[in-house]
Amino acid sequence: MTSVRPSDSSSYLPSLSLCVCVCMPLKSHGLTQARGYVKVCCLVGGCMCTLSDCVRVCVRTVSPLTGTVLLVFAKEDSQNNGFCWACEKANFRCNVARTPEAALECFKEKHHDLVIIDHRHSRYFDAESLCREVLLIHFYLNGFVDLFGVCCCRPDREEASVMPLIKSGFNRRYVENANMMACYNELLQLERGEVLAQFKLRACNAIFTALEQSQEAIEITNEDQVIQVDIQSSKHKDRRKGSLDVRSTTSRGSDGSSQRRHSSMARIHSMTIEAPITKVINIINAAQESSPMPVAEALDRVLEILRTTELYSPQLGTKEEDPHTNDLVGGLMTDGLRRLSGNEYIFAAKQPHLPSHLAMPLSLNDIPPHVAQTMENEDSWDFDIFNLETACLKRPLTYLGLKIFSRFGVCEFLSCPEATLRSWLQGIEANYHSTNSYHNSSHAADVLHATAYFLCKERVKQSLEQIDEVAALIAATVHDVDHPGRTNSFLCNAGSELAILYNDTAVLESHHAALAFQITTRDDKCNIFRNMERNEYRTLRQAIIDMVLATEMTKHFEHVNKFVNSINKPLAALEENGSVKGILTSPDNRILVKRMLIKCADISNPCRPLELCIEWAGRISEEYFAQTDEEKRQSLPVVMPVFDRNTCSIPKSQISFIDYFITDMFDAWDAFADLPNLMQHLDNNFKYWKGLDERKLHSLRPPPE
């Protein structure tokens, strides 16, 4: 530690362990150039010293004369007066508040360094609650809670544990003692401890701000004036805009590996293109330098979490605790175990099937009466897709697509004839596998119906434009085209051609999107995009691809959390003022709304009426059973062992799916789109599955009485 005596004061404080010289542009100050550098003062405590003040500066803490104290005492007494006298003696600016409301208002305005709360008289106010509120305000003002002193006065007759106080945010307990010198000594200890650490942290942040803003060369030296880091500007070294050359020089006797390490760290801290997560980690690293050990250890744990690749995925318990959830999540949120058995599953990127003729109506008006009757209530959430499936012989997508696309004016937007739309719907539906128990054209029609229903909700209509609506309807129609009835994990484990083609990443979703455009553009008879203007087509295409890829479950929690943090929370904060349009219509948020919309439509089965929910649960279970059977036949890793048709509990699997994936997502979507009927169905269905599970039943329905 080095010390610097300021020119304007006889007192001084210990400096930080760095001496920093920031090199500024020479010509702008009219100074004489010396080796291409001019050493000037750096930001100290948030203020820029003038160039003429000094040639070299050590970053030091702010004088305690700037300290401010907030005393929160319900009434004036000897203890209150003792602290007031102590503040005056220590040259602290002091404010006194008698109520929690006055204390919070004063703290918002003054941003005090120390807060002393009277804990002796609980009948006046709750000191622990007040402490938490002060900390919350401090967090919002500063972005993170750096250390500041909070003291608590307690009667000396109480010997209870201080743990409740620590948990509330207090970092010091002061036993009642009105002696003025005792109060003064307490203030000095707080100032030299918590407050000093806070000022050091601010100084560190000032250093990094200066380094980031500097456009010229920078030298960082130790207390012996030995250069530790030498950052050359792009003007001296590299013609690439914003590039930096960082050289690190250690003190005598250091080895080459240490030099390389310093150089590497300097490069990292001087990067001109920096990801937000890197900035967060750098801020936390800086905060650790002057933090007490418990805080530093906690920040270490924070850094461990931030450096993982799965920031949005909740961590499950052990497999023994909840095998159904573990297997379900493992099957849906991973891309396989990357282990090949030698019995590679041959699932090739085959040519799409384009039917030359199907017995389908030429227009919406030609739909058979018995089919039209089943679609009379297609704008209702309780619409029964299985009735339509039966009426049209398992080809519901074309019929429902014609009606919904007509209702939303899709042909008019695309400038395509209805006959082209009909041919396109036929071509897409022909490439769904009717042999799949779940991922067939009935599922696509069901997702299309849910998408159309969500698009009619008022908040969604306020957020999206017509091109977004058209993209959502098309994405829902094609989102599972040519699905093989097997998960991504299965295809990766089996070494399928599609898994190889798409590098084991979002294999099926990438295939669905690519094949949909192949089918569409290969034949003018079904090319619904043929008459679109080029730029508008590119915008529409990108939106469709983005929505189809959003149905991949590995990014489930990322999409949900971004939606909540970027849309729902800001909306909740602004709804009182009514100024929500900017949030709803920003381009980034429109993307998040579309992703959330199709995700909810894709897995909305638990929110359907009970009979529909049961039918879908049976179909997805059968598809998983078939996958497990095939994995065992081919000696592949069994992705979801609990989905063994001989032992699986379907109620447990549904409970796990609802708990882990559905509840939080639909709570967020309901908060945005207002869907009370869906939430009621979800609650009823969960109770139904819970009732079966409590009776130890594994089937879809209870046995007949």
Side-chain angles (χ1 to χ4, degrees), residues 371-385 387-388 400 403-404 407 449 453 608-609 612:
V371 175
Q373 186 176 359
T374 63
M375 294 193 296
E376 285 181 351
N377 69 329
E378 55 85 18
D379 58 347
S380 165
W381 182 253
D382 295 345
F383 171 68
D384 191 336
I385 192 68
N387 284 342
L388 177 60
L400 187 63
K403 186 165 186 182
I404 289 178
R407 177 153 62 93
H449 170 264
Y453 182 83
R608 293 289 188 180
L612 304 183

Side-chain angles (χ1 to χ4, degrees), residues 201-356:
L201 178 58
R202 290 176 181 172
C204 285
N205 288 335
I207 292 174
F208 286 118
T209 301
L211 294 178
E212 183 177 345
Q213 297 300 321
S214 174
Q215 299 298 314
E216 294 295 318
I218 299 172
E219 286 181 355
I220 300 178
T221 69
N222 65 5
E223 57 192 16
D224 297 322
Q225 301 302 302
V226 177
I227 297 174
Q228 302 296 297
V229 179
D230 180 8
I231 307 177
Q232 301 287 343
S233 72
S234 58
K235 183 185 297 183
H236 296 290
K237 284 290 178 182
D238 199 322
R239 295 185 181 274
R240 291 174 297 171
K241 183 179 180 181
S243 64
L244 295 175
D245 177 61
V246 184
R247 293 178 296 156
S248 176
T249 307
T250 59
S251 58
R252 294 176 181 86
S254 298
D255 59 17
S257 63
S258 178
Q259 292 184 19
R260 289 191 297 273
R261 182 170 64 254
H262 284 299
S263 178
S264 297
M265 290 305 297
R267 284 184 187 277
I268 290 172
H269 286 293
S270 65
M271 289 175 63
T272 56
I273 302 176
E274 194 172 40
I277 189 64
T278 306
K279 294 182 179 179
V280 170
I281 290 174
N282 287 341
I283 291 172
I284 294 174
N285 282 328
Q288 282 185 301
E289 294 295 329
S290 302
S291 298
M293 186 58 67
V295 176
E297 291 175 351
L299 291 176
D300 275 334
R301 293 193 292 274
V302 170
L303 289 172
E304 288 178 12
I305 295 171
L306 291 177
R307 287 181 176 123
T308 64
T309 57
E310 300 298 333
L311 291 178
Y312 293 93
S313 298
Q315 294 181 340
L316 297 175
T318 63
K319 191 172 180 67
E320 290 72 21
E321 291 176 4
D322 191 352
H324 282 81
T325 301
N326 274 278
D327 283 355
L328 189 64
V329 173
L332 295 178
M333 297 193 64
T334 62
D335 288 323
L337 304 177
R338 315 297 198 266
R339 297 201 305 264
L340 301 185
S341 65
N343 300 319
E344 281 72 15
Y345 180 68
I346 304 302
F347 180 71
K350 61 181 184 297
Q351 294 295 316
H353 174 51
L354 297 175
S356 58

